[in-house]
PDB file of all heavy atoms in Angstrom:
ATOM      1  N   GLU P 467      16.520   9.569  -7.608  1.00 89.00           N
ATOM      2  CA  GLU P 467      17.348   8.961  -8.646  1.00 89.00           C
ATOM      3  C   GLU P 467      16.685   9.046 -10.021  1.00 89.00           C
ATOM      4  O   GLU P 467      17.373   9.141 -11.035  1.00 89.00           O
ATOM      5  CB  GLU P 467      17.629   7.495  -8.302  1.00 89.00           C
ATOM      6  CG  GLU P 467      18.542   7.319  -7.086  1.00 89.00           C
ATOM      7  CD  GLU P 467      18.701   5.860  -6.713  1.00 89.00           C
ATOM      8  OE1 GLU P 467      18.017   5.004  -7.321  1.00 89.00           O
ATOM      9  OE2 GLU P 467      19.512   5.556  -5.819  1.00 89.00           O
ATOM     10  N   THR P 468      15.360   8.999 -10.045  1.00 88.00           N
ATOM     11  CA  THR P 468      14.634   9.005 -11.333  1.00 88.00           C
ATOM     12  C   THR P 468      14.154  10.388 -11.745  1.00 88.00           C
ATOM     13  O   THR P 468      13.607  10.561 -12.830  1.00 88.00           O
ATOM     14  CB  THR P 468      13.418   8.060 -11.258  1.00 88.00           C
ATOM     15  OG1 THR P 468      12.551   8.474 -10.182  1.00 88.00           O
ATOM     16  CG2 THR P 468      13.869   6.628 -11.010  1.00 88.00           C
ATOM     17  N   GLY P 469      14.333  11.377 -10.857  1.00 90.00           N
ATOM     18  CA  GLY P 469      13.896  12.728 -11.173  1.00 90.00           C
ATOM     19  C   GLY P 469      12.401  12.912 -11.106  1.00 90.00           C
ATOM     20  O   GLY P 469      11.862  13.866 -11.669  1.00 90.00           O
ATOM     21  N   SER P 470      11.716  12.018 -10.405  1.00 90.00           N
ATOM     22  CA  SER P 470      10.260  12.117 -10.271  1.00 90.00           C
ATOM     23  C   SER P 470       9.922  12.836  -8.973  1.00 90.00           C
ATOM     24  O   SER P 470      10.804  13.289  -8.230  1.00 90.00           O
ATOM     25  CB  SER P 470       9.640  10.717 -10.281  1.00 90.00           C
ATOM     26  OG  SER P 470       8.233  10.793 -10.305  1.00 90.00           O
ATOM     27  N   SER P 471       8.613  12.955  -8.679  1.00 91.00           N
ATOM     28  CA  SER P 471       8.183  13.682  -7.484  1.00 91.00           C
ATOM     29  C   SER P 471       7.127  12.887  -6.729  1.00 91.00           C
ATOM     30  O   SER P 471       6.480  11.977  -7.271  1.00 91.00           O
ATOM     31  CB  SER P 471       7.610  15.050  -7.872  1.00 91.00           C
ATOM     32  OG  SER P 471       6.423  14.865  -8.631  1.00 91.00           O
ATOM     33  N   TRP P 472       6.916  13.261  -5.470  1.00 92.00           N
ATOM     34  CA  TRP P 472       5.922  12.589  -4.645  1.00 92.00           C
ATOM     35  C   TRP P 472       4.514  12.806  -5.194  1.00 92.00           C
ATOM     36  O   TRP P 472       3.651  11.935  -5.062  1.00 92.00           O
ATOM     37  CB  TRP P 472       6.006  13.092  -3.212  1.00 92.00           C
ATOM     38  CG  TRP P 472       6.865  12.223  -2.337  1.00 92.00           C
ATOM     39  CD1 TRP P 472       8.098  12.492  -1.851  1.00 92.00           C
ATOM     40  CD2 TRP P 472       6.529  10.917  -1.850  1.00 92.00           C
ATOM     41  NE1 TRP P 472       8.573  11.451  -1.100  1.00 92.00           N
ATOM     42  CE2 TRP P 472       7.629  10.466  -1.077  1.00 92.00           C
ATOM     43  CE3 TRP P 472       5.425  10.079  -1.990  1.00 92.00           C
ATOM     44  CZ2 TRP P 472       7.636   9.222  -0.441  1.00 92.00           C
ATOM     45  CZ3 TRP P 472       5.433   8.831  -1.371  1.00 92.00           C
ATOM     46  CH2 TRP P 472       6.527   8.420  -0.601  1.00 92.00           C
ATOM     47  N   SER P 473       4.259  13.948  -5.790  1.00 91.00           N
ATOM     48  CA  SER P 473       2.910  14.211  -6.306  1.00 91.00           C
ATOM     49  C   SER P 473       2.523  13.203  -7.378  1.00 91.00           C
ATOM     50  O   SER P 473       1.353  12.791  -7.481  1.00 91.00           O
ATOM     51  CB  SER P 473       2.829  15.631  -6.872  1.00 91.00           C
ATOM     52  OG  SER P 473       3.779  15.808  -7.919  1.00 91.00           O
ATOM     53  N   ALA P 474       3.511  12.762  -8.163  1.00 91.00           N
ATOM     54  CA  ALA P 474       3.236  11.771  -9.200  1.00 91.00           C
ATOM     55  C   ALA P 474       3.198  10.357  -8.630  1.00 91.00           C
ATOM     56  O   ALA P 474       2.461   9.494  -9.117  1.00 91.00           O
ATOM     57  CB  ALA P 474       4.292  11.862 -10.297  1.00 91.00           C
ATOM     58  N   ALA P 475       3.984  10.132  -7.584  1.00 93.00           N
ATOM     59  CA  ALA P 475       4.108   8.778  -7.034  1.00 93.00           C
ATOM     60  C   ALA P 475       3.062   8.459  -5.978  1.00 93.00           C
ATOM     61  O   ALA P 475       2.794   7.281  -5.711  1.00 93.00           O
ATOM     62  CB  ALA P 475       5.504   8.600  -6.435  1.00 93.00           C
ATOM     63  N   ALA P 476       2.472   9.481  -5.369  1.00 94.00           N
ATOM     64  CA  ALA P 476       1.568   9.272  -4.232  1.00 94.00           C
ATOM     65  C   ALA P 476       0.406   8.327  -4.529  1.00 94.00           C
ATOM     66  O   ALA P 476       0.091   7.466  -3.699  1.00 94.00           O
ATOM     67  CB  ALA P 476       1.051  10.617  -3.723  1.00 94.00           C
ATOM     68  N   PRO P 477      -0.279   8.440  -5.684  1.00 95.00           N
ATOM     69  CA  PRO P 477      -1.395   7.513  -5.938  1.00 95.00           C
ATOM     70  C   PRO P 477      -0.961   6.052  -5.953  1.00 95.00           C
ATOM     71  O   PRO P 477      -1.639   5.185  -5.382  1.00 95.00           O
ATOM     72  CB  PRO P 477      -1.912   7.960  -7.313  1.00 95.00           C
ATOM     73  CG  PRO P 477      -1.513   9.399  -7.410  1.00 95.00           C
ATOM     74  CD  PRO P 477      -0.192   9.476  -6.731  1.00 95.00           C
ATOM     75  N   ARG P 478       0.158   5.750  -6.611  1.00 94.00           N
ATOM     76  CA  ARG P 478       0.655   4.364  -6.636  1.00 94.00           C
ATOM     77  C   ARG P 478       1.026   3.898  -5.249  1.00 94.00           C
ATOM     78  O   ARG P 478       0.701   2.772  -4.841  1.00 94.00           O
ATOM     79  CB  ARG P 478       1.877   4.262  -7.553  1.00 94.00           C
ATOM     80  CG  ARG P 478       1.571   4.283  -9.042  1.00 94.00           C
ATOM     81  CD  ARG P 478       2.859   4.332  -9.836  1.00 94.00           C
ATOM     82  NE  ARG P 478       3.517   5.634  -9.720  1.00 94.00           N
ATOM     83  CZ  ARG P 478       4.814   5.838  -9.906  1.00 94.00           C
ATOM     84  NH1 ARG P 478       5.615   4.829 -10.194  1.00 94.00           N
ATOM     85  NH2 ARG P 478       5.333   7.043  -9.802  1.00 94.00           N
ATOM     86  N   PHE P 479       1.732   4.747  -4.526  1.00 96.00           N
ATOM     87  CA  PHE P 479       2.165   4.398  -3.168  1.00 96.00           C
ATOM     88  C   PHE P 479       0.950   4.159  -2.278  1.00 96.00           C
ATOM     89  O   PHE P 479       0.884   3.163  -1.538  1.00 96.00           O
ATOM     90  CB  PHE P 479       3.021   5.540  -2.604  1.00 96.00           C
ATOM     91  CG  PHE P 479       3.603   5.245  -1.243  1.00 96.00           C
ATOM     92  CD1 PHE P 479       4.847   4.647  -1.131  1.00 96.00           C
ATOM     93  CD2 PHE P 479       2.917   5.580  -0.081  1.00 96.00           C
ATOM     94  CE1 PHE P 479       5.407   4.374   0.119  1.00 96.00           C
ATOM     95  CE2 PHE P 479       3.457   5.316   1.163  1.00 96.00           C
ATOM     96  CZ  PHE P 479       4.697   4.716   1.268  1.00 96.00           C
ATOM     97  N   GLY P 480      -0.034   5.056  -2.361  1.00 96.00           N
ATOM     98  CA  GLY P 480      -1.207   4.946  -1.502  1.00 96.00           C
ATOM     99  C   GLY P 480      -2.042   3.718  -1.791  1.00 96.00           C
ATOM    100  O   GLY P 480      -2.487   3.026  -0.868  1.00 96.00           O
ATOM    101  N   LEU P 481      -2.272   3.419  -3.075  1.00 96.00           N
ATOM    102  CA  LEU P 481      -3.066   2.239  -3.433  1.00 96.00           C
ATOM    103  C   LEU P 481      -2.377   0.961  -2.971  1.00 96.00           C
ATOM    104  O   LEU P 481      -3.021   0.060  -2.416  1.00 96.00           O
ATOM    105  CB  LEU P 481      -3.284   2.202  -4.944  1.00 96.00           C
ATOM    106  CG  LEU P 481      -4.054   0.983  -5.481  1.00 96.00           C
ATOM    107  CD1 LEU P 481      -5.437   0.900  -4.845  1.00 96.00           C
ATOM    108  CD2 LEU P 481      -4.143   1.044  -7.004  1.00 96.00           C
ATOM    109  N   ALA P 482      -1.068   0.889  -3.196  1.00 95.00           N
ATOM    110  CA  ALA P 482      -0.329  -0.297  -2.766  1.00 95.00           C
ATOM    111  C   ALA P 482      -0.347  -0.439  -1.246  1.00 95.00           C
ATOM    112  O   ALA P 482      -0.434  -1.551  -0.713  1.00 95.00           O
ATOM    113  CB  ALA P 482       1.110  -0.221  -3.272  1.00 95.00           C
ATOM    114  N   ALA P 483      -0.288   0.688  -0.533  1.00 95.00           N
ATOM    115  CA  ALA P 483      -0.331   0.655   0.927  1.00 95.00           C
ATOM    116  C   ALA P 483      -1.669   0.117   1.418  1.00 95.00           C
ATOM    117  O   ALA P 483      -1.731  -0.675   2.370  1.00 95.00           O
ATOM    118  CB  ALA P 483      -0.082   2.050   1.492  1.00 95.00           C
ATOM    119  N   VAL P 484      -2.743   0.524   0.760  1.00 96.00           N
ATOM    120  CA  VAL P 484      -4.074   0.024   1.126  1.00 96.00           C
ATOM    121  C   VAL P 484      -4.150  -1.483   0.913  1.00 96.00           C
ATOM    122  O   VAL P 484      -4.677  -2.224   1.763  1.00 96.00           O
ATOM    123  CB  VAL P 484      -5.162   0.737   0.296  1.00 96.00           C
ATOM    124  CG1 VAL P 484      -6.514   0.048   0.484  1.00 96.00           C
ATOM    125  CG2 VAL P 484      -5.254   2.206   0.702  1.00 96.00           C
ATOM    126  N   LEU P 485      -3.609  -1.962  -0.200  1.00 94.00           N
ATOM    127  CA  LEU P 485      -3.620  -3.396  -0.470  1.00 94.00           C
ATOM    128  C   LEU P 485      -2.789  -4.160   0.567  1.00 94.00           C
ATOM    129  O   LEU P 485      -3.199  -5.231   1.035  1.00 94.00           O
ATOM    130  CB  LEU P 485      -3.071  -3.665  -1.879  1.00 94.00           C
ATOM    131  CG  LEU P 485      -3.935  -3.152  -3.040  1.00 94.00           C
ATOM    132  CD1 LEU P 485      -3.223  -3.389  -4.364  1.00 94.00           C
ATOM    133  CD2 LEU P 485      -5.289  -3.838  -3.033  1.00 94.00           C
ATOM    134  N   GLY P 486      -1.625  -3.624   0.921  1.00 89.00           N
ATOM    135  CA  GLY P 486      -0.802  -4.266   1.937  1.00 89.00           C
ATOM    136  C   GLY P 486      -1.492  -4.316   3.279  1.00 89.00           C
ATOM    137  O   GLY P 486      -1.482  -5.343   3.971  1.00 89.00           O
ATOM    138  N   GLY P 487      -2.118  -3.194   3.654  1.00 90.00           N
ATOM    139  CA  GLY P 487      -2.837  -3.159   4.921  1.00 90.00           C
ATOM    140  C   GLY P 487      -4.002  -4.131   4.941  1.00 90.00           C
ATOM    141  O   GLY P 487      -4.251  -4.817   5.939  1.00 90.00           O
ATOM    142  N   ALA P 488      -4.717  -4.217   3.817  1.00 91.00           N
ATOM    143  CA  ALA P 488      -5.858  -5.133   3.733  1.00 91.00           C
ATOM    144  C   ALA P 488      -5.412  -6.574   3.885  1.00 91.00           C
ATOM    145  O   ALA P 488      -6.101  -7.390   4.522  1.00 91.00           O
ATOM    146  CB  ALA P 488      -6.587  -4.944   2.403  1.00 91.00           C
ATOM    147  N   ALA P 489      -4.245  -6.903   3.321  1.00 84.00           N
ATOM    148  CA  ALA P 489      -3.734  -8.276   3.427  1.00 84.00           C
ATOM    149  C   ALA P 489      -3.502  -8.661   4.884  1.00 84.00           C
ATOM    150  O   ALA P 489      -3.838  -9.769   5.322  1.00 84.00           O
ATOM    151  CB  ALA P 489      -2.439  -8.409   2.625  1.00 84.00           C
ATOM    152  N   VAL P 490      -2.931  -7.742   5.661  1.00 81.00           N
ATOM    153  CA  VAL P 490      -2.669  -8.022   7.074  1.00 81.00           C
ATOM    154  C   VAL P 490      -3.966  -8.115   7.867  1.00 81.00           C
ATOM    155  O   VAL P 490      -4.128  -8.984   8.734  1.00 81.00           O
ATOM    156  CB  VAL P 490      -1.745  -6.944   7.677  1.00 81.00           C
ATOM    157  CG1 VAL P 490      -1.586  -7.145   9.177  1.00 81.00           C
ATOM    158  CG2 VAL P 490      -0.384  -6.977   6.996  1.00 81.00           C
ATOM    159  N   ILE P 491      -4.912  -7.217   7.598  1.00 83.00           N
ATOM    160  CA  ILE P 491      -6.195  -7.242   8.300  1.00 83.00           C
ATOM    161  C   ILE P 491      -6.926  -8.564   8.044  1.00 83.00           C
ATOM    162  O   ILE P 491      -7.486  -9.179   8.965  1.00 83.00           O
ATOM    163  CB  ILE P 491      -7.071  -6.060   7.870  1.00 83.00           C
ATOM    164  CG1 ILE P 491      -6.393  -4.726   8.228  1.00 83.00           C
ATOM    165  CG2 ILE P 491      -8.447  -6.148   8.520  1.00 83.00           C
ATOM    166  CD1 ILE P 491      -6.125  -4.527   9.696  1.00 83.00           C
ATOM    167  N   LEU P 492      -6.909  -9.020   6.789  1.00 81.00           N
ATOM    168  CA  LEU P 492      -7.555 -10.285   6.463  1.00 81.00           C
ATOM    169  C   LEU P 492      -6.864 -11.451   7.168  1.00 81.00           C
ATOM    170  O   LEU P 492      -7.533 -12.363   7.673  1.00 81.00           O
ATOM    171  CB  LEU P 492      -7.538 -10.511   4.942  1.00 81.00           C
ATOM    172  CG  LEU P 492      -8.472  -9.618   4.126  1.00 81.00           C
ATOM    173  CD1 LEU P 492      -8.260  -9.844   2.635  1.00 81.00           C
ATOM    174  CD2 LEU P 492      -9.937  -9.889   4.496  1.00 81.00           C
ATOM    175  N   LEU P 493      -5.537 -11.408   7.204  1.00 71.00           N
ATOM    176  CA  LEU P 493      -4.798 -12.457   7.909  1.00 71.00           C
ATOM    177  C   LEU P 493      -5.143 -12.464   9.379  1.00 71.00           C
ATOM    178  O   LEU P 493      -5.338 -13.524   9.989  1.00 71.00           O
ATOM    179  CB  LEU P 493      -3.290 -12.247   7.715  1.00 71.00           C
ATOM    180  CG  LEU P 493      -2.380 -13.206   8.492  1.00 71.00           C
ATOM    181  CD1 LEU P 493      -2.602 -14.633   8.030  1.00 71.00           C
ATOM    182  CD2 LEU P 493      -0.917 -12.801   8.321  1.00 71.00           C
ATOM    183  N   ASP P 494      -5.250 -11.272   9.972  1.00 70.00           N
ATOM    184  CA  ASP P 494      -5.577 -11.186  11.393  1.00 70.00           C
ATOM    185  C   ASP P 494      -6.965 -11.746  11.661  1.00 70.00           C
ATOM    186  O   ASP P 494      -7.185 -12.453  12.654  1.00 70.00           O
ATOM    187  CB  ASP P 494      -5.494  -9.726  11.835  1.00 70.00           C
ATOM    188  CG  ASP P 494      -5.813  -9.565  13.316  1.00 70.00           C
ATOM    189  OD1 ASP P 494      -5.088 -10.141  14.145  1.00 70.00           O
ATOM    190  OD2 ASP P 494      -6.782  -8.852  13.630  1.00 70.00           O
ATOM    191  N   ARG P 495      -7.919 -11.455  10.789  1.00 73.00           N
ATOM    192  CA  ARG P 495      -9.286 -11.968  10.981  1.00 73.00           C
ATOM    193  C   ARG P 495      -9.312 -13.475  10.824  1.00 73.00           C
ATOM    194  O   ARG P 495      -9.998 -14.188  11.553  1.00 73.00           O
ATOM    195  CB  ARG P 495     -10.234 -11.313   9.983  1.00 73.00           C
ATOM    196  CG  ARG P 495     -10.498  -9.855  10.300  1.00 73.00           C
ATOM    197  CD  ARG P 495     -11.513  -9.254   9.338  1.00 73.00           C
ATOM    198  NE  ARG P 495     -11.797  -7.849   9.683  1.00 73.00           N
ATOM    199  CZ  ARG P 495     -12.591  -7.070   9.001  1.00 73.00           C
ATOM    200  NH1 ARG P 495     -13.228  -7.542   7.916  1.00 73.00           N
ATOM    201  NH2 ARG P 495     -12.775  -5.817   9.362  1.00 73.00           N
ATOM    202  N   TYR P 496      -8.548 -13.987   9.848  1.00 62.00           N
ATOM    203  CA  TYR P 496      -8.477 -15.431   9.650  1.00 62.00           C
ATOM    204  C   TYR P 496      -7.830 -16.098  10.850  1.00 62.00           C
ATOM    205  O   TYR P 496      -8.270 -17.141  11.315  1.00 62.00           O
ATOM    206  CB  TYR P 496      -7.683 -15.731   8.384  1.00 62.00           C
ATOM    207  CG  TYR P 496      -7.428 -17.205   8.164  1.00 62.00           C
ATOM    208  CD1 TYR P 496      -8.466 -18.069   7.836  1.00 62.00           C
ATOM    209  CD2 TYR P 496      -6.134 -17.723   8.279  1.00 62.00           C
ATOM    210  CE1 TYR P 496      -8.238 -19.416   7.633  1.00 62.00           C
ATOM    211  CE2 TYR P 496      -5.902 -19.060   8.086  1.00 62.00           C
ATOM    212  CZ  TYR P 496      -6.947 -19.907   7.755  1.00 62.00           C
ATOM    213  OH  TYR P 496      -6.706 -21.236   7.557  1.00 62.00           O
ATOM    214  N   ALA P 497      -6.779 -15.454  11.353  1.00 53.00           N
ATOM    215  CA  ALA P 497      -6.080 -16.013  12.520  1.00 53.00           C
ATOM    216  C   ALA P 497      -6.977 -16.090  13.722  1.00 53.00           C
ATOM    217  O   ALA P 497      -6.873 -16.994  14.551  1.00 53.00           O
ATOM    218  CB  ALA P 497      -4.837 -15.173  12.834  1.00 53.00           C
TER     219      ALA P 497
END
């Protein structure tokens, strides 16, 4: 829809994915 590409979006997507994964891992360790 925005005319962008995965090559430009991949760094943002990947960093956010790492943060999301870390949040769950920390929750699991706390649990």
Side-chain angles (χ1 to χ4, degrees):
E467 291 175 354
T468 58
S470 187
S471 65
W472 265 107
S473 59
R478 284 174 289 156
F479 184 91
L481 177 59
V484 170
L485 293 176
V490 174
I491 298 300
L492 288 174
L493 175 63
D494 181 61
R495 289 184 178 177
Y496 174 69

